[in-house]
Protein backbone atom coordinates (compact mmCIF):
# COMPACT_ATOMS: atom_id res chain seq x y z
CA UNK A 1 0.00 0.00 0.00
CA UNK A 2 1.10 3.57 -0.68
CA UNK A 3 0.76 5.32 2.66
CA UNK A 4 4.02 7.23 3.06
CA UNK A 5 2.37 10.59 2.39
CA UNK A 6 -0.81 9.89 4.32
CA UNK A 7 -1.64 11.61 7.59
CA UNK A 8 -1.87 9.81 10.91
CA UNK A 9 -5.03 9.77 13.00
CA UNK A 10 -5.12 11.46 16.39
CA UNK A 11 -7.68 8.89 17.57
CA UNK A 12 -5.23 6.15 18.56
CA UNK A 13 -5.24 5.21 22.24
CA UNK A 14 -2.02 3.30 22.83
CA UNK A 15 -2.43 1.22 25.97
CA UNK A 16 0.24 -1.35 25.19
CA UNK A 17 2.20 -2.31 28.26
CA UNK A 18 -0.52 -1.24 30.67
CA UNK A 19 -1.20 -4.86 31.53
CA UNK A 20 -4.92 -4.58 30.93
CA UNK A 21 -5.53 -3.15 34.39
CA UNK A 22 -8.84 -1.67 35.24
CA UNK A 23 -10.69 -4.22 37.28
CA UNK A 24 -13.84 -5.89 36.06
CA UNK A 25 -14.19 -9.47 35.00
CA UNK A 26 -11.33 -11.85 35.74
CA UNK A 27 -9.35 -12.71 32.60
CA UNK A 28 -10.13 -15.89 30.72
CA UNK A 29 -7.25 -18.27 30.24
CA UNK A 30 -7.67 -19.89 26.84
CA UNK A 31 -5.23 -22.47 25.54
CA UNK A 32 -4.19 -22.82 21.92
CA UNK A 33 -6.97 -25.34 21.27
CA UNK A 34 -9.48 -23.00 22.80
CA UNK A 35 -8.30 -20.17 20.61
CA UNK A 36 -8.78 -22.23 17.46
CA UNK A 37 -12.25 -23.35 18.47
CA UNK A 38 -13.23 -19.80 19.31
CA UNK A 39 -11.85 -18.19 16.17
CA UNK A 40 -15.02 -18.60 14.15
CA UNK A 41 -17.15 -16.94 16.80
CA UNK A 42 -14.81 -14.17 17.85
CA UNK A 43 -12.47 -12.85 15.19
CA UNK A 44 -13.75 -9.51 13.93
CA UNK A 45 -16.49 -9.43 16.55
CA UNK A 46 -18.76 -6.60 17.55
CA UNK A 47 -19.35 -7.01 21.27
CA UNK A 48 -17.25 -9.58 23.14
CA UNK A 49 -19.59 -9.81 26.12
CA UNK A 50 -22.08 -11.83 24.05
CA UNK A 51 -19.53 -14.60 23.57
CA UNK A 52 -17.87 -14.72 26.98
CA UNK A 53 -20.28 -17.46 27.99
CA UNK A 54 -19.20 -19.52 24.99
CA UNK A 55 -15.56 -19.10 25.90
CA UNK A 56 -16.11 -20.44 29.39
CA UNK A 57 -16.30 -23.90 27.86
CA UNK A 58 -12.73 -23.49 26.62
CA UNK A 59 -11.29 -22.43 29.97
CA UNK A 60 -8.84 -24.85 31.50
CA UNK A 61 -6.97 -24.22 34.71
CA UNK A 62 -4.13 -26.31 33.35
CA UNK A 63 -4.00 -24.78 29.89
CA UNK A 64 -1.39 -22.29 28.88
CA UNK A 65 -2.43 -19.06 27.26
CA UNK A 66 -0.89 -18.24 23.92
CA UNK A 67 2.38 -16.42 24.44
CA UNK A 68 3.41 -13.83 21.88
CA UNK A 69 7.14 -13.36 21.49
CA UNK A 70 8.21 -9.77 22.14
CA UNK A 71 8.86 -7.78 18.99
CA UNK A 72 11.84 -5.53 18.32
CA UNK A 73 11.32 -2.06 19.73
CA UNK A 74 10.98 -0.44 16.31
CA UNK A 75 8.38 -2.82 14.89
CA UNK A 76 5.43 -1.82 17.10
CA UNK A 77 6.12 1.83 16.26
CA UNK A 78 6.01 1.08 12.56
CA UNK A 79 2.84 -0.93 12.99
CA UNK A 80 1.28 1.83 15.05
CA UNK A 81 2.08 4.31 12.31
CA UNK A 82 0.54 2.01 9.71
CA UNK A 83 -2.64 1.45 11.74
CA UNK A 84 -2.88 5.17 12.44
CA UNK A 85 -2.72 5.97 8.73
CA UNK A 86 -5.34 3.37 7.89
CA UNK A 87 -7.59 4.76 10.61
CA UNK A 88 -7.07 8.28 9.23
CA UNK A 89 -8.03 7.05 5.78
CA UNK A 90 -11.26 5.57 7.10
CA UNK A 91 -11.97 8.87 8.85
CA UNK A 92 -11.54 10.78 5.61
CA UNK A 93 -13.66 8.39 3.57
CA UNK A 94 -16.55 8.06 5.99
CA UNK A 95 -16.59 11.76 6.94
CA UNK A 96 -16.93 12.62 3.26
CA UNK A 97 -19.51 9.91 2.63
CA UNK A 98 -21.65 10.97 5.60
CA UNK A 99 -21.49 14.61 4.44
CA UNK A 100 -22.86 13.49 1.08
CA UNK A 101 -25.75 11.89 2.96
CA UNK A 102 -26.32 15.05 4.98
CA UNK A 103 -25.08 13.42 8.17
CA UNK A 104 -22.18 13.84 10.58
CA UNK A 105 -19.64 11.09 11.09
CA UNK A 106 -18.31 10.82 14.62
CA UNK A 107 -14.79 9.40 14.52
CA UNK A 108 -14.18 6.36 16.72
CA UNK A 109 -11.05 5.73 18.74
CA UNK A 110 -8.85 2.70 18.15
CA UNK A 111 -7.27 1.18 21.25
CA UNK A 112 -3.99 -0.69 20.89
CA UNK A 113 -3.44 -3.11 23.76
CA UNK A 114 -1.21 -6.00 24.72
CA UNK A 115 -2.52 -9.19 26.25
CA UNK A 116 -5.74 -7.93 27.80
CA UNK A 117 -7.81 -4.79 28.17
CA UNK A 118 -10.87 -3.39 29.84
CA UNK A 119 -13.45 -2.10 27.35
CA UNK A 120 -16.92 -0.68 27.66
CA UNK A 121 -18.15 -4.13 26.68
CA UNK A 122 -16.16 -6.04 29.28
CA UNK A 123 -12.73 -7.47 29.93
CA UNK A 124 -11.10 -9.07 26.89
CA UNK A 125 -7.89 -10.90 26.08
CA UNK A 126 -5.92 -11.08 22.86
CA UNK A 127 -7.58 -14.40 22.05
CA UNK A 128 -10.88 -12.59 21.51
CA UNK A 129 -9.40 -11.01 18.39
CA UNK A 130 -10.03 -7.46 17.17
CA UNK A 131 -13.47 -6.16 18.10
CA UNK A 132 -15.66 -3.09 18.07
CA UNK A 133 -17.47 -2.09 21.24
CA UNK A 134 -20.64 -0.09 20.52
CA UNK A 135 -20.92 0.89 24.18
CA UNK A 136 -17.83 3.13 24.05
CA UNK A 137 -17.53 3.52 20.25
CA UNK A 138 -14.01 2.10 20.18
CA UNK A 139 -12.14 -0.52 18.19
CA UNK A 140 -9.80 -2.75 20.21
CA UNK A 141 -6.76 -4.36 18.63
CA UNK A 142 -3.75 -6.30 19.87
CA UNK A 143 -1.15 -6.06 17.11
CA UNK A 144 -0.13 -9.65 17.88
CA UNK A 145 -3.28 -10.66 16.01
CA UNK A 146 -1.62 -9.84 12.72
CA UNK A 147 0.99 -12.55 13.37
CA UNK A 148 -1.88 -14.95 14.03
CA UNK A 149 -3.52 -13.86 10.80
CA UNK A 150 -0.33 -14.42 8.84
CA UNK A 151 1.18 -17.49 10.49
CA UNK A 152 -1.84 -19.49 11.60
CA UNK A 153 -4.44 -18.39 9.07
CA UNK A 154 -2.17 -17.78 6.07
CA UNK A 155 -3.31 -14.24 5.34
CA UNK A 156 -0.37 -11.85 5.53
CA UNK A 157 0.29 -8.50 3.94
CA UNK A 158 -0.40 -4.87 4.73
CA UNK A 159 -3.76 -4.76 2.98
CA UNK A 160 -4.89 -7.83 4.93
CA UNK A 161 -4.21 -5.80 8.07
CA UNK A 162 -6.01 -2.80 6.60
CA UNK A 163 -9.02 -5.02 5.90
CA UNK A 164 -9.15 -6.01 9.57
CA UNK A 165 -9.21 -2.37 10.68
CA UNK A 166 -11.69 -1.37 7.97
CA UNK A 167 -14.02 -4.22 8.95
CA UNK A 168 -14.10 -3.08 12.58
CA UNK A 169 -14.67 0.51 11.46
CA UNK A 170 -17.48 -0.91 9.35
CA UNK A 171 -19.17 -1.91 12.59
CA UNK A 172 -18.81 1.67 13.82
CA UNK A 173 -20.44 2.88 10.60
CA UNK A 174 -23.30 0.48 11.30
CA UNK A 175 -23.59 1.98 14.77
CA UNK A 176 -23.52 5.52 13.41
CA UNK A 177 -26.26 4.71 10.89
CA UNK A 178 -28.46 3.15 13.54
CA UNK A 179 -28.24 -0.28 11.96
CA UNK A 180 -27.06 -1.97 15.14
CA UNK A 181 -29.99 -0.58 17.10
CA UNK A 182 -32.40 -1.77 14.42
CA UNK A 183 -30.87 -5.23 14.39
CA UNK A 184 -31.14 -5.47 18.17
CA UNK A 185 -34.85 -4.67 17.97
CA UNK A 186 -35.49 -7.10 15.14
CA UNK A 187 -33.55 -10.10 16.41
CA UNK A 188 -36.68 -11.37 18.13
CA UNK A 189 -37.89 -12.42 14.69
CA UNK A 190 -34.52 -13.56 13.37
CA UNK A 191 -32.11 -16.13 14.72
CA UNK A 192 -28.96 -14.57 16.20
CA UNK A 193 -26.66 -17.37 15.04
CA UNK A 194 -26.75 -19.62 12.01
CA UNK A 195 -25.99 -19.35 8.31
CA UNK A 196 -28.68 -16.70 7.71
CA UNK A 197 -28.82 -15.24 11.22
CA UNK A 198 -28.52 -11.63 12.35
CA UNK A 199 -24.88 -12.04 13.36
CA UNK A 200 -23.81 -13.30 9.94
CA UNK A 201 -25.70 -10.53 8.17
CA UNK A 202 -24.14 -7.93 10.46
CA UNK A 203 -20.63 -9.22 9.86
CA UNK A 204 -21.03 -9.53 6.10
CA UNK A 205 -22.28 -5.98 5.92
CA UNK A 206 -19.18 -4.83 7.82
CA UNK A 207 -17.10 -6.68 5.21
CA UNK A 208 -18.97 -4.83 2.47
CA UNK A 209 -18.41 -1.50 4.22
CA UNK A 210 -14.70 -2.35 4.40
CA UNK A 211 -14.79 -2.79 0.64
CA UNK A 212 -16.56 0.56 0.22
CA UNK A 213 -13.76 2.22 2.18
CA UNK A 214 -11.09 0.55 0.03
CA UNK A 215 -12.76 1.64 -3.21
CA UNK A 216 -13.26 5.23 -2.16
CA UNK A 217 -9.85 5.58 -0.50
CA UNK A 218 -8.13 4.28 -3.60
CA UNK A 219 -10.18 6.49 -5.93
CA UNK A 220 -9.19 9.52 -3.87
CA UNK A 221 -5.56 8.75 -3.05
CA UNK A 222 -4.43 5.73 -5.16
CA UNK A 223 -3.24 3.85 -2.10
CA UNK A 224 -3.48 0.33 -3.52
CA UNK A 225 -0.62 -1.48 -5.21
CA UNK A 226 -0.39 -4.69 -7.18
CA UNK A 227 -1.36 -7.64 -5.01
CA UNK A 228 -3.15 -5.59 -2.35
CA UNK A 229 -6.64 -6.58 -3.41
CA UNK A 230 -5.71 -10.26 -3.36
CA UNK A 231 -4.32 -9.84 0.16
CA UNK A 232 -7.66 -8.44 1.27
CA UNK A 233 -9.58 -11.26 -0.39
CA UNK A 234 -7.25 -13.82 1.20
CA UNK A 235 -7.91 -12.31 4.63
CA UNK A 236 -11.67 -12.34 4.09
CA UNK A 237 -11.51 -15.97 3.02
CA UNK A 238 -9.22 -16.95 5.90
CA UNK A 239 -11.75 -15.93 8.54
CA UNK A 240 -14.81 -17.62 7.06
CA UNK A 241 -16.80 -19.69 9.56
CA UNK A 242 -16.60 -22.84 7.46
CA UNK A 243 -12.84 -22.67 7.03
CA UNK A 244 -12.19 -21.86 10.68
CA UNK A 245 -14.48 -24.58 11.99
CA UNK A 246 -12.93 -27.13 9.68
CA UNK A 247 -9.48 -26.05 10.85
CA UNK A 248 -10.38 -25.95 14.52
CA UNK A 249 -12.65 -28.96 14.96
CA UNK A 250 -12.49 -30.88 11.68
CA UNK A 251 -16.09 -30.35 10.59
CA UNK A 252 -18.56 -27.56 9.81
CA UNK A 253 -21.74 -26.70 11.72
CA UNK A 254 -23.72 -24.04 9.78
CA UNK A 255 -26.11 -23.52 12.69
CA UNK A 256 -23.19 -22.14 14.70
CA UNK A 257 -22.08 -19.62 12.08
CA UNK A 258 -21.61 -16.05 13.28
CA UNK A 259 -19.63 -14.37 10.47
CA UNK A 260 -20.40 -16.15 7.20
CA UNK A 261 -18.52 -18.58 4.99
CA UNK A 262 -15.26 -17.76 3.26
CA UNK A 263 -17.08 -17.40 -0.07
CA UNK A 264 -19.67 -15.07 1.45
CA UNK A 265 -17.07 -12.86 3.10
CA UNK A 266 -15.11 -12.58 -0.13
CA UNK A 267 -18.31 -11.86 -2.06
CA UNK A 268 -19.52 -9.04 0.17
CA UNK A 269 -16.09 -7.47 0.54
CA UNK A 270 -15.75 -7.58 -3.25
CA UNK A 271 -19.22 -6.08 -3.69
CA UNK A 272 -18.22 -3.10 -1.59
CA UNK A 273 -14.92 -2.70 -3.43
CA UNK A 274 -16.58 -2.79 -6.83
CA UNK A 275 -19.43 -0.41 -6.04
CA UNK A 276 -18.13 1.97 -3.37
CA UNK A 277 -21.80 2.26 -2.42
CA UNK A 278 -23.24 1.33 0.97
CA UNK A 279 -26.62 0.75 -0.64
CA UNK A 280 -25.09 -2.35 -2.24
CA UNK A 281 -24.34 -3.66 1.26
CA UNK A 282 -27.88 -4.39 2.47
CA UNK A 283 -27.30 -7.90 3.72
CA UNK A 284 -30.48 -7.75 5.81
CA UNK A 285 -32.75 -7.56 2.77
CA UNK A 286 -30.72 -9.92 0.62
CA UNK A 287 -32.69 -13.14 -0.07
CA UNK A 288 -29.43 -15.04 -0.34
CA UNK A 289 -26.06 -14.30 1.19
Amino acid sequence: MRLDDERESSNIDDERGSGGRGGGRAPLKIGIGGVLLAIGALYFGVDPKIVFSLLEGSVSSGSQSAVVAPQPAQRPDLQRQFISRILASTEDVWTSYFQQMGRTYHEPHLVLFTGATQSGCGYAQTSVGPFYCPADHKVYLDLAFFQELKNRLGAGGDFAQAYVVAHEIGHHVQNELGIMAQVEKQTSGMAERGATGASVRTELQADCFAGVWAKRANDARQILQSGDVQEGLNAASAVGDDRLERQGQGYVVPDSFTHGTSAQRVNWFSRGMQSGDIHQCDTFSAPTL
Side-chain angles (χ1 to χ4, degrees):
M1 298 184 72
R2 297 186 181 93
L3 297 174
D4 290 345
D5 296 328
E6 301 302 306
R7 73 177 181 89
E8 294 184 38
S9 173
S10 61
N11 293 316
I12 295 286
D13 299 338
D14 196 339
E15 298 180 358
R16 291 173 294 174
S18 66
R21 295 184 179 86
R25 186 185 181 94
L28 297 174
K29 295 181 182 295
I30 305 175
I32 296 297
V35 171
L36 285 174
L37 289 175
I39 285 174
L42 303 180
Y43 279 0
F44 308 115
V46 181
D47 181 347
K49 67 181 179 182
I50 67 175
V51 294
F52 278 145
S53 60
L54 299 177
L55 281 174
E56 295 288 2
S58 297
V59 175
S60 172
S61 59
S63 64
Q64 182 177 358
S65 297
V67 176
V68 180
Q71 299 294 326
Q74 187 180 16
R75 185 176 179 86
D77 293 335
L78 293 176
Q79 283 194 303
R80 183 191 188 285
Q81 183 182 68
F82 174 79
I83 296 302
S84 181
R85 287 174 174 171
I86 293 299
L87 181 61
S89 178
T90 66
E91 292 165 354
D92 293 344
V93 166
W94 290 116
T95 294
S96 174
Y97 203 134
F98 271 55
Q99 287 175 346
Q100 293 174 20
M101 295 188 292
R103 306 181 64 138
T104 299
Y105 179 69
H106 302 94
E107 299 174 354
H109 279 234
L110 189 151
V111 180
L112 296 177
F113 70 97
T114 302
T117 189
Q118 182 71 35
S119 78
C121 294
Y123 191 85
Q125 288 187 309
T126 298
S127 50
V128 174
F131 65 91
Y132 171 69
C133 175
D136 59 17
H137 310 284
K138 294 181 180 181
V139 171
Y140 291 83
L141 170 66
D142 187 329
L143 294 174
F145 171 76
F146 292 138
Q147 288 302 311
E148 180 95 2
L149 187 66
K150 176 182 178 181
N151 298 335
R152 192 181 300 277
L153 302 181
D158 53 5
F159 192 64
Q161 298 178 11
Y163 157 74
V164 171
V165 175
H167 173 95
E168 298 306 333
I169 296 301
H171 285 310
H172 178 67
V173 173
Q174 290 173 319
N175 203 20
E176 288 281 280
L177 294 175
I179 295 173
M180 283 189 173
Q182 293 175 12
V183 172
E184 186 174 353
K185 291 180 180 179
Q186 296 171 0
T187 49
S188 58
M190 181 188 301
E192 173 64 25
R193 299 166 68 88
T196 60
S199 178
V200 166
R201 293 178 186 273
T202 299
E203 296 299 333
L204 292 179
Q205 185 176 67
D207 280 335
C208 190
F209 285 174
V212 170
W213 159 75
K215 162 72 172 172
R216 288 177 169 255
N218 191 56
D219 285 351
R221 306 285 293 179
Q222 292 76 54
I223 64 173
L224 298 183
Q225 296 175 297
S226 176
D228 282 341
V229 172
Q230 189 58 50
E231 288 177 1
L233 295 176
N234 287 344
S237 177
V239 291
D241 283 324
D242 53 341
R243 177 172 173 179
L244 290 169
E245 287 190 351
R246 192 173 290 111
Q247 179 183 2
Q249 61 193 19
Y251 56 91
V252 175
V253 183
D255 286 345
S256 70
F257 284 1
T258 58
H259 289 62
T261 66
S262 292
Q264 288 171 334
R265 301 200 71 166
V266 168
N267 175 57
W268 284 97
F269 178 60
S270 298
R271 185 179 300 200
M273 280 203 69
Q274 292 164 5
S275 68
D277 180 6
I278 63 172
H279 296 97
Q280 300 301 312
C281 298
D282 187 3
T283 57
F284 296 95
S285 298
T288 60
L289 296 174

